[in-house]
Amino acid sequence: MEAEMKGYTGKILFIDLDFKTYEVIQPDSTIYENYLSGVGLASYYLYNSIPKDANPLGNKNVIAFVSGLLTGTGSLITGRWLVATKSPLTGGWGDANCGGTFSPAIKQCGYDGIFVKGISQEPCYIHIDNKSVTFVDAKDLWGMDSVETEEILEKRYSKGKKPSIATIGQAGENLSLISGIVNEKGRIAARSGVGAVMGSKRLKAIVLQGSLPIKAVDTQGIKELSAELANKVRSFTLPNFVKGSLLPLGGSFLGNSKKVTPLDGMMLMPIMKKWGTPGTTTMAATMGDSPIKNWSSTIKEFDKSYYKKFNPDIVTKREYEKYHCYSCIIGCGGKSKINDLSDGKYDHTHKPEYETLSSFGSLIMSKDIDSIYIINEMLNRAGMDTISAGHVVSHLMESFDKGLISEEDLDGIRIVWGDSKAAIKILEKMIKREGVGDLLADGVKVAASKLGKTTDKYAIHCGGQEPAMHDSRLDPMLGVIYSADTTPGRHTTGSSQYYNLIRLWDKVSWAPKVKRYDKSDEYVASEEEALKTVANVAYKQFVDSIGGCLFAMILGVQHWKIFEWSNLATGWNKTPDDYMEIGRRIQTTKQLFNLKHSIDPLSFKMPDRLSGKPPLESGPTKGKTLPIDEMITNFFYASGWDNNGVPTNKIIKELKLDTFLEDING
Ligand code: SF4
């Protein structure tokens, strides 16, 4: 059977910008069987191809743009692409993913992934279609923001199929370590500093214009499962009387519950369909999920007078169009008119997501939602991560408030809690690396070390990566992931809330079953909690290998049938346990990548504040402290690693890593 009949194309494009050359390789089918596609394929090739001394911003680093195993096969909510590389922010494994149409476009050019190494002498972009790979001078685009760049390239390639474009803005060009890669004029693969890697290669954009078909073995079988899911998602809607103003009550109820009962993920879909992620903002605030005042305060301070400004009905009032990624039936995105807010500078923006609303809302104690629209558009255009940038601002505000820094340190900017206008001034400087912006543009860890004056006390990061807008004091599994995952500070990899929704125990023999339990159980460093974490993490590797979206992941395995779709697409006959083993292989490969690049896994541990040391004095997480060290150790053991996070010989053999990874002993 032809490789391209199996969901994956069977080909990878390797580009070397040092010489402007490329080659197409055809991985052995065992690579796909053992690593799938997406993040799995990237983990295998990046482990083997990036030398251990590689400077993340040097020519030996490789950046991979990968599609998913299921993308384009007729399965649903499986159209996300992922970029992976050695992160300049943490020095270890880095990845980020995004939606839009870039993932199918990779496969329509005939590849499962595009890997780029080397550094171009001059700024360039790469145009790829069914037959050719062309290196094009990009001096005229250098300095432009991501939206301007996409608009120009769309016009330039207006003949034939509409191009899919991934580009960097000024932040990536300026090698900001918190920069990302943008597509769809404002959707961003934001984390791990991936934009700086693209910028260091002087690669402004990748333009894809292929039109090859994407085939699967059993297209009809895939379609039948897709129709089943589409009907369910369509039938779950919110009654008209449910208004955004009611959501904080739901958050408060969940946050203060002493018992946890796993819910059906389908129940969340009406919220996602109606409001998208902004629908969770006020709930997350009252639940104790949103970090407040640089993680130091609670809903007592960020009270109703603040959070009511984030009523999602207010956010959707500006929405003029819904937005769906490829193959998605949820469509959580939207575009909002903001002409009136920006004196005509920006016509519209992608609706700010929860992470942005919280990063520039509760985290910095602001109720100025109008400014958040501007910040959102500014940062998306520049290609800068809103989560990280929000932390830089909250760090400055706390350091200023505590008297450690003054206007003199900040080019005359007075930055007090809640002052969004001052935040915008700081962000403008960070994007341009102008004045103090130069020392702030690389994230909180670097900023604190350059500012000095003991501001590092208030620098919230995990091994260099700023954590997301979800509080580990509410969800202890999240704290373990923040502290011990291969990409630290990451909220999408796993959490107790996700685990309860995914219901892996329905299909995976070893995933602990959860019924109704005491919330306090989550705060105990038990073997069961550790095994749940391992299961969630392994499943997420599988999700990132097939091109899946987090919001589909939390629908649960009973609805979103990626185990079944994967067999139908490839003709394999793997069990859910087999796919979970692949997930564990990928996770351990990434851990070995970090060790190869001299990362001490224990150095990723989150700051004490995030594990409740000292505990908060009010709100749903009042008095909560996590035994984080024991939890990390248990997670390592349950992963088959030792107490330092080093995979044991036993697990290396079990996962056959000794046969896959070339310099594993070197
Ligand atoms: S749920 Fe939202 S982010 Fe996920 S694929 Fe659909 S539109 Fe994209």
Side-chain angles (χ1 to χ4, degrees):
M1 188 170 291
E2 296 277 329
E4 63 267 26
M5 295 293 290
K6 292 186 165 192
Y8 54 87
T9 69
K11 289 186 197 149
I12 298 177
L13 180 65
F14 271 88
I15 291 172
D16 188 341
L17 283 176
D18 281 340
F19 305 101
K20 300 271 168 67
T21 55
Y22 65 90
E23 64 171 329
V24 177
I25 66 153
Q26 299 194 36
D28 191 273
S29 62
T30 56
I31 302 298
Y32 288 100
E33 291 239 15
N34 286 284
Y35 278 97
L36 308 174
S37 191
V39 75
L41 203 60
S43 72
Y44 170 77
Y45 279 103
L46 294 187
Y47 181 90
N48 283 327
S49 61
I50 303 177
K52 65 179 173 188
D53 59 345
N55 173 353
L57 301 180
N59 69 338
K60 289 179 187 161
N61 196 9
V62 182
I63 185 165
F65 302 81
V66 284
S67 182
L69 181 75
L70 289 176
T71 300
T73 60
S75 56
L76 296 179
I77 332 176
T78 51
R80 291 181 72 87
W81 61 283
L82 180 136
V83 52
T85 190
K86 179 172 177 177
S87 165
L89 194 59
T90 65
W93 178 267
D95 65 36
N97 77 44
C98 199
T101 60
F102 199 73
S103 184
I106 295 172
K107 284 169 114 171
Q108 285 160 340
C109 289
Y111 309 110
D112 295 310
I114 300 164
F115 288 63
V116 183
K117 69 172 183 176
I119 291 181
S120 174
Q121 294 225 323
E122 303 285 352
C124 73
Y125 67 87
I126 306 171
H127 178 267
I128 304 169
D129 60 20
N130 300 359
K131 292 185 184 144
S132 59
V133 177
T134 312
F135 301 93
V136 188
D137 187 289
K139 284 202 265 317
D140 58 333
L141 301 174
W142 205 252
M144 287 188 181
D145 71 38
S146 63
V147 176
E148 292 165 336
T149 305
E150 267 200 68
E151 282 171 352
I152 289 175
L153 290 171
E154 271 180 7
K155 269 193 203 137
R156 202 171 285 174
Y157 295 97
S158 59
K159 273 195 194 149
K161 186 172 170 282
K162 187 172 182 241
S164 288
I165 299 161
T167 182
I168 51 170
Q170 299 94 332
E173 289 178 12
N174 292 336
L175 308 184
S176 157
L177 300 190
I178 56 171
S179 59
I181 299 172
V182 185
N183 67 335
E184 308 284 317
K185 302 185 184 116
R187 311 285 296 189
I188 176 164
R191 311 243 71 196
S192 296
V194 292
V197 177
M198 208 163 151
S200 71
K201 299 193 174 307
R202 298 198 187 90
L203 177 60
K204 179 69 179 172
I206 296 183
V207 183
L208 303 178
Q209 225 175 358
S211 57
L212 296 170
I214 302 167
K215 296 179 186 171
V217 169
D218 186 351
T219 310
Q220 187 53 33
I222 292 174
K223 270 191 191 153
E224 283 167 18
L225 290 185
S226 296
E228 206 181 282
L229 174 61
N231 286 337
K232 279 190 209 166
V233 171
R234 233 174 265 128
S235 67
F236 274 75
T237 48
L238 278 180
N240 277 342
F241 68 82
V242 179
K243 303 286 180 219
S245 53
L246 290 174
L247 295 170
L249 294 174
S252 185
F253 172 76
L254 290 171
N256 289 302
S257 296
K258 301 273 181 280
K259 295 275 183 189
V260 180
T261 307
L263 300 172
D264 186 326
M266 197 57 83
M267 289 166 67
L268 299 175
M269 285 311 112
I271 292 178
M272 293 302 286
K273 285 196 295 180
K274 181 165 181 175
W275 293 295
T277 60
T280 63
T281 312
T282 55
M283 264 198 301
T286 53
M287 194 191 296
D289 190 31
S290 306
I292 293 169
K293 209 175 187 183
N294 203 29
W295 300 78
S296 70
S297 189
T298 71
I299 197 69
K300 200 172 166 191
E301 198 171 0
F302 192 77
D303 60 18
K304 192 172 178 187
S305 70
Y306 285 83
Y307 68 72
K308 73 177 185 189
K309 303 281 183 188
F310 295 83
N311 179 337
D313 290 336
I314 296 172
V315 181
T316 45
K317 252 189 206 156
R318 289 193 167 270
E319 189 176 76
Y320 66 92
E321 186 179 292
K322 288 270 183 200
Y323 174 86
H324 291 241
C325 300
Y326 176 83
S327 81
C328 180
I329 43 163
I330 301 170
C332 72
K335 292 183 183 168
S336 309
K337 284 272 173 213
I338 54 166
N339 198 296
D340 58 316
L341 300 179
S342 65
D343 293 330
K345 188 174 176 195
Y346 306 127
D347 180 46
H348 66 270
T349 186
H350 277 274
K351 182 170 68 183
E353 302 291 348
Y354 162 73
E355 297 296 328
T356 307
L357 290 166
S358 184
S359 294
F360 287 96
S362 64
L363 191 70
I364 68 164
M365 288 300 292
S366 168
K367 53 176 94 166
D368 180 3
I369 191 164
D370 287 353
S371 288
I372 297 180
Y373 281 97
I374 304 303
I375 290 170
N376 187 53
E377 185 61 8
M378 265 173 69
L379 294 182
N380 286 347
R381 280 175 174 260
M384 187 175 272
D385 180 0
T386 56
I387 297 173
S388 295
H391 273 97
V392 172
V393 171
S394 67
H395 169 249
L396 292 182
M397 286 178 174
E398 184 159 11
S399 301
F400 192 95
D401 187 48
K402 296 276 182 353
L404 301 180
I405 55 172
S406 67
E407 284 106 315
E408 274 174 31
D409 299 296
L410 301 175
D411 299 345
I413 300 170
R414 181 179 153 72
I415 188 151
V416 297
W417 288 116
D419 188 345
S420 296
K421 301 286 183 294
I424 289 175
K425 285 184 196 158
I426 290 287
L427 295 170
E428 282 168 345
K429 285 179 174 286
M430 285 166 61
I431 290 167
K432 294 182 192 151
R433 275 198 182 276
E434 181 187 278
V436 70
D438 186 38
L439 60 92
L440 303 176
D442 295 324
V444 159
K445 183 182 174 190
V446 176
S449 75
K450 288 187 175 170
L451 281 168
K453 304 185 178 186
T454 67
T455 58
D456 58 332
K457 274 201 285 196
Y458 306 117
I460 304 295
H461 66 88
C462 309
Q465 176 73 76
E466 298 78 4
M469 295 296 108
H470 302 279
D471 200 320
S472 37
R473 291 163 294 200
L474 177 73
D475 194 322
M477 187 195 292
L478 192 60
V480 179
I481 305 269
Y482 280 168
S483 303
D485 183 40
T486 52
T487 49
R490 186 67 57 93
H491 66 295
T492 53
T493 309
S495 76
S496 299
Q497 294 180 67
Y498 299 158
Y499 185 80
N500 294 344
L501 291 165
I502 298 169
R503 304 182 74 90
L504 282 169
W505 57 84
D506 281 350
K507 295 193 178 174
V508 176
S509 66
W510 54 271
K513 183 165 183 166
V514 172
K515 286 189 187 159
R516 193 168 152 77
Y517 65 90
D518 288 337
K519 175 78 182 160
S520 57
D521 292 352
E522 291 180 6
Y523 294 83
V524 176
S526 67
E527 284 177 18
E528 176 164 303
E529 284 301 314
L531 197 56
K532 282 160 61 179
T533 312
V534 171
N536 199 152
V537 170
Y539 185 64
K540 184 60 165 58
Q541 307 315 307
F542 176 41
V543 168
D544 282 349
S545 295
I546 58 97
C549 173
L550 169 73
F551 304 125
M553 178 172 99
I554 60 174
L555 272 171
V557 294
Q558 75 278 32
H559 299 302
W560 190 51
K561 298 194 171 165
I562 57 173
F563 292 121
E564 294 82 351
W565 271 326
S566 294
N567 281 343
L568 291 167
T570 57
W572 298 332
N573 195 20
K574 293 187 189 298
T575 64
D577 279 15
D578 293 335
Y579 284 112
M580 291 291 279
E581 181 178 288
I582 296 172
R584 295 189 67 177
R585 177 175 300 114
I586 296 165
Q587 180 70 1
T588 299
T589 300
K590 287 160 60 177
Q591 186 75 349
L592 288 164
F593 179 97
N594 280 350
L595 292 163
K596 173 177 170 177
H597 293 274
S598 306
I599 294 288
D600 171 5
L602 296 170
S603 68
F604 285 167
K605 197 176 106 179
M606 62 188 183
D608 282 351
R609 194 178 266 188
L610 276 63
S611 50
K613 289 179 201 150
L616 290 171
E617 290 175 2
S618 61
T621 55
K622 175 183 170 183
K624 298 287 187 197
T625 303
L626 277 58
I628 191 66
D629 293 311
E630 294 90 326
M631 291 176 121
I632 292 171
T633 305
N634 283 355
F635 169 66
F636 285 165
Y637 286 154
S639 300
W641 308 345
D642 70 14
N643 56 351
N644 292 313
V646 179
T648 60
N649 288 338
K650 184 168 175 282
I651 197 73
I652 284 173
K653 284 210 161 35
E654 268 173 36
L655 297 175
K656 294 183 259 175
L657 290 166
D658 50 344
T659 62
F660 286 119
L661 304 180
E662 284 160 14
D663 56 354
I664 195 161
N665 300 313

